[in-house]
Amino acid sequence: MLKYQKIIKPKSKVMRTKSTLEKAVKFVTNCKFIFSFKKNIFQKNIFPILFCLIPALTSAQSGSCNAKLEVEKNRIYNSAGKDGAYFTLVLTNDGNSSDVYNLSALNINGNCANNDQSNTSENVNLMGSFLDNNNAPITSLTVSSHQTASFSIHLIVPQGTAFNKWNCTQINATSTNCSSYTVNTVVHTIVNNPSEN
């Protein structure tokens, strides 16, 4: 009986191995067919589709991100006393969809011209904060498509700032729909001596 069992065991192992090998060959053959089929689809159909979609997406994105930022009534010059200076700004969304714009202010004293043609190397830095029409602090602004929204920047004079010096501040509005799209404008402020007022 031991001889019989020994003979059957090798046959069953051979049968299992052959069966497993056949299944593996069939699996590999099926995989080759599937991947060659996908390769043909990508080569023949996807690239023309992508070629058409990329310009369409680029065009759609450029149309959806189009804005303008201006100082109200073009009043880009102001003087700052002890309460600082305020500028009213107007943001127009000429894009095809509503957008949220993140607001920021940057001192750009080295890259501007002072109203009295004085040297910008003596310009001073001011701190800016944004306010909505109810004088509540904001950091962003939502503007519907083809609509306009106004807001203010409050430029604060830090303690110890030299008087009778200019500041140039660039106000930026960066789209959240198109993160690399920013519109900006520049305002000019002279810091007055409060004792002279």
Side-chain angles (χ1 to χ4, degrees), residues 97-125:
S97 61
S98 181
D99 204 345
V100 177
Y101 296 89
N102 291 321
L103 305 175
S104 62
L106 179 66
N107 289 292
I108 58 161
N109 293 315
N111 298 322
C112 69
N114 293 334
N115 191 32
D116 62 1
Q117 306 307 315
S118 60
N119 191 338
T120 57
S121 65
E122 296 181 8
N123 282 18
V124 295
N125 289 334

PDB file of all heavy atoms in Angstrom, residues 97-125:
ATOM      1  N   SER A  97     -16.891  82.781 -13.881  1.00  0.00           N
ATOM      2  CA  SER A  97     -17.451  82.146 -12.686  1.00  0.00           C
ATOM      3  C   SER A  97     -17.119  82.980 -11.456  1.00  0.00           C
ATOM      4  O   SER A  97     -16.199  83.793 -11.466  1.00  0.00           O
ATOM      5  CB  SER A  97     -16.896  80.729 -12.529  1.00  0.00           C
ATOM      6  OG  SER A  97     -15.493  80.756 -12.388  1.00  0.00           O
ATOM      7  N   SER A  98     -17.886  82.762 -10.415  1.00  0.00           N
ATOM      8  CA  SER A  98     -17.632  83.440  -9.139  1.00  0.00           C
ATOM      9  C   SER A  98     -16.246  83.048  -8.646  1.00  0.00           C
ATOM     10  O   SER A  98     -15.787  81.935  -8.892  1.00  0.00           O
ATOM     11  CB  SER A  98     -18.701  83.014  -8.142  1.00  0.00           C
ATOM     12  OG  SER A  98     -18.501  83.652  -6.915  1.00  0.00           O
ATOM     13  N   ASP A  99     -15.570  83.952  -7.960  1.00  0.00           N
ATOM     14  CA  ASP A  99     -14.211  83.670  -7.500  1.00  0.00           C
ATOM     15  C   ASP A  99     -13.997  84.282  -6.122  1.00  0.00           C
ATOM     16  O   ASP A  99     -14.608  85.291  -5.770  1.00  0.00           O
ATOM     17  CB  ASP A  99     -13.198  84.251  -8.491  1.00  0.00           C
ATOM     18  CG  ASP A  99     -11.847  83.564  -8.440  1.00  0.00           C
ATOM     19  OD1 ASP A  99     -11.569  82.833  -7.467  1.00  0.00           O
ATOM     20  OD2 ASP A  99     -11.057  83.752  -9.380  1.00  0.00           O
ATOM     21  N   VAL A 100     -13.134  83.642  -5.352  1.00  0.00           N
ATOM     22  CA  VAL A 100     -12.697  84.173  -4.063  1.00  0.00           C
ATOM     23  C   VAL A 100     -11.277  84.660  -4.258  1.00  0.00           C
ATOM     24  O   VAL A 100     -10.418  83.915  -4.742  1.00  0.00           O
ATOM     25  CB  VAL A 100     -12.758  83.095  -2.957  1.00  0.00           C
ATOM     26  CG1 VAL A 100     -12.236  83.650  -1.642  1.00  0.00           C
ATOM     27  CG2 VAL A 100     -14.178  82.575  -2.796  1.00  0.00           C
ATOM     28  N   TYR A 101     -11.015  85.902  -3.879  1.00  0.00           N
ATOM     29  CA  TYR A 101      -9.696  86.509  -4.039  1.00  0.00           C
ATOM     30  C   TYR A 101      -9.060  86.696  -2.669  1.00  0.00           C
ATOM     31  O   TYR A 101      -9.653  87.312  -1.781  1.00  0.00           O
ATOM     32  CB  TYR A 101      -9.815  87.866  -4.745  1.00  0.00           C
ATOM     33  CG  TYR A 101     -10.345  87.753  -6.152  1.00  0.00           C
ATOM     34  CD1 TYR A 101     -11.707  87.800  -6.410  1.00  0.00           C
ATOM     35  CD2 TYR A 101      -9.477  87.567  -7.218  1.00  0.00           C
ATOM     36  CE1 TYR A 101     -12.202  87.680  -7.692  1.00  0.00           C
ATOM     37  CE2 TYR A 101      -9.965  87.453  -8.515  1.00  0.00           C
ATOM     38  CZ  TYR A 101     -11.321  87.505  -8.746  1.00  0.00           C
ATOM     39  OH  TYR A 101     -11.812  87.380 -10.024  1.00  0.00           O
ATOM     40  N   ASN A 102      -7.868  86.153  -2.503  1.00  0.00           N
ATOM     41  CA  ASN A 102      -7.101  86.354  -1.273  1.00  0.00           C
ATOM     42  C   ASN A 102      -6.369  87.683  -1.381  1.00  0.00           C
ATOM     43  O   ASN A 102      -5.719  87.954  -2.398  1.00  0.00           O
ATOM     44  CB  ASN A 102      -6.113  85.201  -1.055  1.00  0.00           C
ATOM     45  CG  ASN A 102      -6.837  83.915  -0.733  1.00  0.00           C
ATOM     46  OD1 ASN A 102      -7.819  83.909  -0.010  1.00  0.00           O
ATOM     47  ND2 ASN A 102      -6.365  82.817  -1.282  1.00  0.00           N
ATOM     48  N   LEU A 103      -6.470  88.494  -0.349  1.00  0.00           N
ATOM     49  CA  LEU A 103      -5.902  89.851  -0.361  1.00  0.00           C
ATOM     50  C   LEU A 103      -4.584  89.879   0.388  1.00  0.00           C
ATOM     51  O   LEU A 103      -4.428  89.235   1.423  1.00  0.00           O
ATOM     52  CB  LEU A 103      -6.891  90.823   0.280  1.00  0.00           C
ATOM     53  CG  LEU A 103      -8.303  90.835  -0.322  1.00  0.00           C
ATOM     54  CD1 LEU A 103      -9.215  91.742   0.491  1.00  0.00           C
ATOM     55  CD2 LEU A 103      -8.272  91.265  -1.783  1.00  0.00           C
ATOM     56  N   SER A 104      -3.650  90.666  -0.134  1.00  0.00           N
ATOM     57  CA  SER A 104      -2.369  90.854   0.549  1.00  0.00           C
ATOM     58  C   SER A 104      -1.820  92.228   0.194  1.00  0.00           C
ATOM     59  O   SER A 104      -2.168  92.815  -0.833  1.00  0.00           O
ATOM     60  CB  SER A 104      -1.366  89.756   0.167  1.00  0.00           C
ATOM     61  OG  SER A 104      -1.092  89.788  -1.221  1.00  0.00           O
ATOM     62  N   ALA A 105      -0.959  92.727   1.073  1.00  0.00           N
ATOM     63  CA  ALA A 105      -0.330  94.034   0.858  1.00  0.00           C
ATOM     64  C   ALA A 105       1.167  93.868   1.018  1.00  0.00           C
ATOM     65  O   ALA A 105       1.636  93.138   1.893  1.00  0.00           O
ATOM     66  CB  ALA A 105      -0.864  95.062   1.849  1.00  0.00           C
ATOM     67  N   LEU A 106       1.917  94.556   0.187  1.00  0.00           N
ATOM     68  CA  LEU A 106       3.363  94.424   0.169  1.00  0.00           C
ATOM     69  C   LEU A 106       4.011  95.801   0.019  1.00  0.00           C
ATOM     70  O   LEU A 106       3.650  96.561  -0.887  1.00  0.00           O
ATOM     71  CB  LEU A 106       3.756  93.515  -1.005  1.00  0.00           C
ATOM     72  CG  LEU A 106       5.216  93.234  -1.253  1.00  0.00           C
ATOM     73  CD1 LEU A 106       5.798  92.416  -0.101  1.00  0.00           C
ATOM     74  CD2 LEU A 106       5.380  92.474  -2.561  1.00  0.00           C
ATOM     75  N   ASN A 107       4.953  96.116   0.903  1.00  0.00           N
ATOM     76  CA  ASN A 107       5.725  97.352   0.745  1.00  0.00           C
ATOM     77  C   ASN A 107       6.689  97.157  -0.422  1.00  0.00           C
ATOM     78  O   ASN A 107       7.483  96.213  -0.423  1.00  0.00           O
ATOM     79  CB  ASN A 107       6.518  97.648   2.022  1.00  0.00           C
ATOM     80  CG  ASN A 107       5.630  98.092   3.167  1.00  0.00           C
ATOM     81  OD1 ASN A 107       5.053  99.160   3.129  1.00  0.00           O
ATOM     82  ND2 ASN A 107       5.516  97.246   4.183  1.00  0.00           N
ATOM     83  N   ILE A 108       6.609  98.034  -1.413  1.00  0.00           N
ATOM     84  CA  ILE A 108       7.484  97.921  -2.589  1.00  0.00           C
ATOM     85  C   ILE A 108       8.265  99.222  -2.788  1.00  0.00           C
ATOM     86  O   ILE A 108       8.387  99.730  -3.903  1.00  0.00           O
ATOM     87  CB  ILE A 108       6.686  97.561  -3.853  1.00  0.00           C
ATOM     88  CG1 ILE A 108       5.588  98.601  -4.135  1.00  0.00           C
ATOM     89  CG2 ILE A 108       6.085  96.170  -3.762  1.00  0.00           C
ATOM     90  CD1 ILE A 108       5.079  98.575  -5.546  1.00  0.00           C
ATOM     91  N   ASN A 109       8.809  99.734  -1.721  1.00  0.00           N
ATOM     92  CA  ASN A 109       9.444 101.049  -1.755  1.00  0.00           C
ATOM     93  C   ASN A 109      10.584 101.164  -2.762  1.00  0.00           C
ATOM     94  O   ASN A 109      10.817 102.242  -3.305  1.00  0.00           O
ATOM     95  CB  ASN A 109       9.927 101.414  -0.352  1.00  0.00           C
ATOM     96  CG  ASN A 109       8.761 101.630   0.578  1.00  0.00           C
ATOM     97  OD1 ASN A 109       7.802 102.280   0.223  1.00  0.00           O
ATOM     98  ND2 ASN A 109       8.831 101.052   1.774  1.00  0.00           N
ATOM     99  N   GLY A 110      11.282 100.097  -3.022  1.00  0.00           N
ATOM    100  CA  GLY A 110      12.390 100.161  -3.977  1.00  0.00           C
ATOM    101  C   GLY A 110      11.945 100.121  -5.417  1.00  0.00           C
ATOM    102  O   GLY A 110      12.733 100.389  -6.326  1.00  0.00           O
ATOM    103  N   ASN A 111      10.683  99.801  -5.662  1.00  0.00           N
ATOM    104  CA  ASN A 111      10.187  99.636  -7.037  1.00  0.00           C
ATOM    105  C   ASN A 111       9.060 100.605  -7.374  1.00  0.00           C
ATOM    106  O   ASN A 111       8.120 100.238  -8.056  1.00  0.00           O
ATOM    107  CB  ASN A 111       9.678  98.200  -7.230  1.00  0.00           C
ATOM    108  CG  ASN A 111      10.770  97.180  -7.049  1.00  0.00           C
ATOM    109  OD1 ASN A 111      11.899  97.401  -7.444  1.00  0.00           O
ATOM    110  ND2 ASN A 111      10.438  96.066  -6.433  1.00  0.00           N
ATOM    111  N   CYS A 112       9.162 101.824  -6.886  1.00  0.00           N
ATOM    112  CA  CYS A 112       8.098 102.787  -7.174  1.00  0.00           C
ATOM    113  C   CYS A 112       8.717 104.177  -7.297  1.00  0.00           C
ATOM    114  O   CYS A 112       9.914 104.351  -7.104  1.00  0.00           O
ATOM    115  CB  CYS A 112       7.033 102.769  -6.083  1.00  0.00           C
ATOM    116  SG  CYS A 112       7.591 103.432  -4.507  1.00  0.00           S
ATOM    117  N   ALA A 113       7.881 105.134  -7.616  1.00  0.00           N
ATOM    118  CA  ALA A 113       8.324 106.530  -7.704  1.00  0.00           C
ATOM    119  C   ALA A 113       7.475 107.360  -6.750  1.00  0.00           C
ATOM    120  O   ALA A 113       6.253 107.197  -6.700  1.00  0.00           O
ATOM    121  CB  ALA A 113       8.174 107.046  -9.127  1.00  0.00           C
ATOM    122  N   ASN A 114       8.113 108.209  -5.995  1.00  0.00           N
ATOM    123  CA  ASN A 114       7.389 109.083  -5.069  1.00  0.00           C
ATOM    124  C   ASN A 114       6.763 110.245  -5.829  1.00  0.00           C
ATOM    125  O   ASN A 114       7.292 110.713  -6.845  1.00  0.00           O
ATOM    126  CB  ASN A 114       8.330 109.613  -3.986  1.00  0.00           C
ATOM    127  CG  ASN A 114       8.804 108.498  -3.076  1.00  0.00           C
ATOM    128  OD1 ASN A 114       8.142 107.490  -2.919  1.00  0.00           O
ATOM    129  ND2 ASN A 114       9.972 108.701  -2.470  1.00  0.00           N
ATOM    130  N   ASN A 115       5.646 110.747  -5.316  1.00  0.00           N
ATOM    131  CA  ASN A 115       4.915 111.832  -5.953  1.00  0.00           C
ATOM    132  C   ASN A 115       5.759 113.100  -6.086  1.00  0.00           C
ATOM    133  O   ASN A 115       5.645 113.825  -7.063  1.00  0.00           O
ATOM    134  CB  ASN A 115       3.638 112.120  -5.146  1.00  0.00           C
ATOM    135  CG  ASN A 115       2.688 113.039  -5.873  1.00  0.00           C
ATOM    136  OD1 ASN A 115       2.619 113.030  -7.096  1.00  0.00           O
ATOM    137  ND2 ASN A 115       1.944 113.832  -5.121  1.00  0.00           N
ATOM    138  N   ASP A 116       6.621 113.356  -5.091  1.00  0.00           N
ATOM    139  CA  ASP A 116       7.452 114.575  -5.144  1.00  0.00           C
ATOM    140  C   ASP A 116       8.842 114.305  -5.726  1.00  0.00           C
ATOM    141  O   ASP A 116       9.730 115.139  -5.600  1.00  0.00           O
ATOM    142  CB  ASP A 116       7.569 115.183  -3.735  1.00  0.00           C
ATOM    143  CG  ASP A 116       8.249 114.247  -2.751  1.00  0.00           C
ATOM    144  OD1 ASP A 116       8.655 113.123  -3.141  1.00  0.00           O
ATOM    145  OD2 ASP A 116       8.375 114.630  -1.572  1.00  0.00           O
ATOM    146  N   GLN A 117       9.016 113.140  -6.343  1.00  0.00           N
ATOM    147  CA  GLN A 117      10.278 112.736  -6.963  1.00  0.00           C
ATOM    148  C   GLN A 117      11.432 112.573  -5.976  1.00  0.00           C
ATOM    149  O   GLN A 117      12.601 112.526  -6.359  1.00  0.00           O
ATOM    150  CB  GLN A 117      10.687 113.717  -8.081  1.00  0.00           C
ATOM    151  CG  GLN A 117       9.617 113.951  -9.135  1.00  0.00           C
ATOM    152  CD  GLN A 117       9.082 112.669  -9.759  1.00  0.00           C
ATOM    153  OE1 GLN A 117       9.846 111.792 -10.106  1.00  0.00           O
ATOM    154  NE2 GLN A 117       7.770 112.557  -9.849  1.00  0.00           N
ATOM    155  N   SER A 118      11.136 112.483  -4.679  1.00  0.00           N
ATOM    156  CA  SER A 118      12.196 112.259  -3.686  1.00  0.00           C
ATOM    157  C   SER A 118      12.735 110.833  -3.819  1.00  0.00           C
ATOM    158  O   SER A 118      12.087 109.952  -4.412  1.00  0.00           O
ATOM    159  CB  SER A 118      11.669 112.511  -2.266  1.00  0.00           C
ATOM    160  OG  SER A 118      10.603 111.633  -1.971  1.00  0.00           O
ATOM    161  N   ASN A 119      13.903 110.603  -3.248  1.00  0.00           N
ATOM    162  CA  ASN A 119      14.577 109.319  -3.350  1.00  0.00           C
ATOM    163  C   ASN A 119      13.801 108.239  -2.578  1.00  0.00           C
ATOM    164  O   ASN A 119      13.506 108.396  -1.396  1.00  0.00           O
ATOM    165  CB  ASN A 119      16.007 109.459  -2.798  1.00  0.00           C
ATOM    166  CG  ASN A 119      16.854 108.256  -3.096  1.00  0.00           C
ATOM    167  OD1 ASN A 119      16.344 107.160  -3.344  1.00  0.00           O
ATOM    168  ND2 ASN A 119      18.160 108.446  -3.084  1.00  0.00           N
ATOM    169  N   THR A 120      13.495 107.133  -3.223  1.00  0.00           N
ATOM    170  CA  THR A 120      12.714 106.066  -2.583  1.00  0.00           C
ATOM    171  C   THR A 120      13.528 105.287  -1.544  1.00  0.00           C
ATOM    172  O   THR A 120      12.955 104.519  -0.770  1.00  0.00           O
ATOM    173  CB  THR A 120      12.173 105.069  -3.627  1.00  0.00           C
ATOM    174  OG1 THR A 120      13.271 104.525  -4.366  1.00  0.00           O
ATOM    175  CG2 THR A 120      11.199 105.753  -4.575  1.00  0.00           C
ATOM    176  N   SER A 121      14.826 105.492  -1.511  1.00  0.00           N
ATOM    177  CA  SER A 121      15.641 104.774  -0.516  1.00  0.00           C
ATOM    178  C   SER A 121      15.294 105.223   0.910  1.00  0.00           C
ATOM    179  O   SER A 121      15.609 104.527   1.874  1.00  0.00           O
ATOM    180  CB  SER A 121      17.133 104.968  -0.784  1.00  0.00           C
ATOM    181  OG  SER A 121      17.488 106.331  -0.606  1.00  0.00           O
ATOM    182  N   GLU A 122      14.661 106.386   1.047  1.00  0.00           N
ATOM    183  CA  GLU A 122      14.267 106.882   2.362  1.00  0.00           C
ATOM    184  C   GLU A 122      12.805 106.566   2.696  1.00  0.00           C
ATOM    185  O   GLU A 122      12.308 106.970   3.740  1.00  0.00           O
ATOM    186  CB  GLU A 122      14.494 108.401   2.429  1.00  0.00           C
ATOM    187  CG  GLU A 122      15.964 108.788   2.297  1.00  0.00           C
ATOM    188  CD  GLU A 122      16.178 110.292   2.378  1.00  0.00           C
ATOM    189  OE1 GLU A 122      15.211 111.030   2.682  1.00  0.00           O
ATOM    190  OE2 GLU A 122      17.311 110.726   2.131  1.00  0.00           O
ATOM    191  N   ASN A 123      12.127 105.816   1.818  1.00  0.00           N
ATOM    192  CA  ASN A 123      10.731 105.455   2.073  1.00  0.00           C
ATOM    193  C   ASN A 123      10.614 104.579   3.316  1.00  0.00           C
ATOM    194  O   ASN A 123      11.570 103.914   3.712  1.00  0.00           O
ATOM    195  CB  ASN A 123      10.141 104.714   0.869  1.00  0.00           C
ATOM    196  CG  ASN A 123       9.760 105.655  -0.256  1.00  0.00           C
ATOM    197  OD1 ASN A 123      10.206 106.795  -0.310  1.00  0.00           O
ATOM    198  ND2 ASN A 123       8.949 105.169  -1.174  1.00  0.00           N
ATOM    199  N   VAL A 124       9.437 104.591   3.917  1.00  0.00           N
ATOM    200  CA  VAL A 124       9.190 103.839   5.153  1.00  0.00           C
ATOM    201  C   VAL A 124       8.188 102.720   4.894  1.00  0.00           C
ATOM    202  O   VAL A 124       7.432 102.756   3.929  1.00  0.00           O
ATOM    203  CB  VAL A 124       8.668 104.774   6.268  1.00  0.00           C
ATOM    204  CG1 VAL A 124       9.727 105.801   6.657  1.00  0.00           C
ATOM    205  CG2 VAL A 124       7.376 105.470   5.849  1.00  0.00           C
ATOM    206  N   ASN A 125       8.185 101.732   5.774  1.00  0.00           N
ATOM    207  CA  ASN A 125       7.238 100.626   5.675  1.00  0.00           C
ATOM    208  C   ASN A 125       6.011 100.893   6.533  1.00  0.00           C
ATOM    209  O   ASN A 125       6.131 101.387   7.650  1.00  0.00           O
ATOM    210  CB  ASN A 125       7.892  99.317   6.108  1.00  0.00           C
ATOM    211  CG  ASN A 125       8.916  98.835   5.105  1.00  0.00           C
ATOM    212  OD1 ASN A 125       8.844  99.135   3.914  1.00  0.00           O
ATOM    213  ND2 ASN A 125       9.885  98.080   5.579  1.00  0.00           N
TER     214      ASN A 125
END
